[in-house]
Amino acid sequence: MTQEFSKLVDGFQRHINYFRVSVTDRCNLRCLYCMPRKGLPKLSHEEILTYEEILRILRVATTMGITKVRVTGGEPFARKGLLSFLERLTSLPGLQDISLTTNGVLAAQHLQHIWEMGIRRINISLDTLSRERYRQITGIDGFDRVWESIDKAHTIGFDPIRINMVVIAGLNDHEVLDFARLSITSPYQIRFIEYMPIGPAEFNASSRFVPTNVIKEKVEALGPLIPVNNSRFDGPAQRYRLEGARGELGFISPISEHFCGRCNRMRLTADGKLRVCLLSDLSVDLKGPIRAGISDAELANLLVEAAGLKPSGHTALSSSIIAPSGTMSSIGG
Ligand code: SAM
Ligand code: SF4
């Protein structure tokens, strides 16, 4: 994949054109591998960036070469005012691609509106095809509502619709084949994601990790994986399809085959830090300076500073996992 020209270039000549924006640290679910059941300490209203502040950062970022934004969380639909934020986001000049990652539980009723704004790409997280296991993993009985969102997204015409499954040993790894079969009968892109060692302490264990090569071997019981050419929106996923399948399979391997050399992204956390690498704590605070009254030019300099902090790669190899602080819900997965 080529990296597009950007004024945000790091010390390793990688051009940053992609921001993942966490609009909230809060979530309506408690996925075992992401949040403790009792929840995490919540950021107060004052601690999180206002939508105005996020839009200002993104407006400046688009003048620096950011063309892609993914809205995530926590759960984006758990924050009030998301739809009017998305409307304003879609009218920012310079953004070529806006997408959304959601657990799907609260999404169905809003999808038509989101489509009308021009958003076409949505990722819905679903780690099991069993209603009962869904309840065990997430803590709520939301399986049917997720499927309502997936079906509705399909009927409306979202494309691609990606279903993200984090593969976790002893939790759902025995369902990999069922998810792969789903790609044969349905038009969805099933994405198998390696579990990263940043979950709650009581859940975390390196024995939970299942590398992509093991996931692929399981899938190959259904037939050979036929490579699909990546589009410029694919990011780090390796795409395949099974013979005769309506949908596709994608493998995301942040740990076993990390894609640091092609990394083109930074993450804006809900509390206003620009995190330069998912698996590192390095970040630049934007909220403090913004609230102290910095100009757009000074904000642009902070974005450049953050890009300059990006490490060449991370060290979270499966055998010696080093967990950064924070979970995916707070960092913005
Ligand atoms: N709440 C939304 C959702 O679940 O789609 C958006 C935020 S969630 C943090 C984004 C993605 O990160 C989800 O697909 C989730 O499964 C994934 N995720 C969370 N913790 C993870 C971990 N430790 N390793 C790998 N993926 C993780
Ligand atoms: Fe919430 Fe998404 Fe984390 Fe599950 S993975 S607890 S839905 S933020």
Side-chain angles (χ1 to χ4, degrees), residues 33 72-75 101-103 125 164 166 194-196 198 328 333:
Y33 60 88
T72 179
E75 172 52 36
T101 299
T102 171
N103 60 41
S125 303
N164 283 351
V166 181
E194 282 178 349
Y195 170 65
M196 286 178 274
I198 54 179
M328 287 289 267

Side-chain angles (χ1 to χ4, degrees), residues 27 29-31 33-35 73-75 103 329:
C27 189
L29 306 190
R30 294 284 177 271
C31 302
Y33 60 88
C34 180
M35 273 207 192
E75 172 52 36
N103 60 41
S329 63

Side-chain angles (χ1 to χ4, degrees), residues 29-64:
L29 306 190
R30 294 284 177 271
C31 302
L32 288 170
Y33 60 88
C34 180
M35 273 207 192
R37 275 288 136 95
K38 58 181 185 334
L40 290 165
K42 288 181 188 144
L43 295 169
S44 68
H45 195 62
E46 293 68 43
E47 280 172 292
I48 66 167
L49 289 178
T50 63
Y51 284 134
E52 296 293 331
E53 288 167 336
I54 298 175
L55 288 163
R56 178 176 174 206
I57 293 166
L58 293 177
R59 183 173 50 71
V60 171
T62 57
T63 67
M64 309 290 291

Side-chain angles (χ1 to χ4, degrees), residues 72-195:
T72 179
E75 172 52 36
F77 287 98
R79 181 164 177 186
K80 278 197 198 125
L82 179 77
L83 292 189
S84 57
F85 164 72
L86 291 177
E87 254 169 22
R88 294 167 69 193
L89 181 63
T90 48
S91 57
L92 272 189
L95 283 183
Q96 295 165 11
D97 178 44
I98 299 172
S99 55
L100 196 62
T101 299
T102 171
N103 60 41
V105 172
L106 305 170
Q109 58 179 316
H110 304 299
L111 289 173
Q112 184 65 41
H113 188 167
I114 288 173
W115 170 268
E116 281 157 17
M117 292 173 199
I119 296 178
R120 296 287 178 264
R121 300 187 327 106
I122 187 162
N123 288 8
I124 298 183
S125 303
L126 181 67
D127 298 313
T128 174
L129 297 175
S130 143
R131 185 175 288 106
E132 177 51 23
R133 193 165 303 108
Y134 185 89
R135 200 189 52 71
Q136 287 163 3
I137 294 175
T138 65
I140 74 150
D141 193 9
F143 186 77
D144 293 337
R145 280 181 279 162
V146 181
W147 273 105
E148 192 191 335
S149 292
I150 295 172
D151 290 342
K152 189 143 186 200
H154 178 49
T155 309
I156 293 171
F158 283 86
D159 184 25
I161 298 166
R162 292 189 180 135
I163 299 185
N164 283 351
M165 179 211 195
V166 181
V167 183
I168 302 176
L171 192 71
N172 63 357
D173 54 336
H174 59 290
E175 291 196 53
V176 163
L177 267 189
D178 292 337
F179 273 90
R181 279 193 197 97
L182 186 60
S183 82
I184 300 178
T185 52
S186 74
Y188 308 126
Q189 288 191 8
I190 309 294
R191 308 228 299 187
F192 298 109
I193 302 175
E194 282 178 349
Y195 170 65

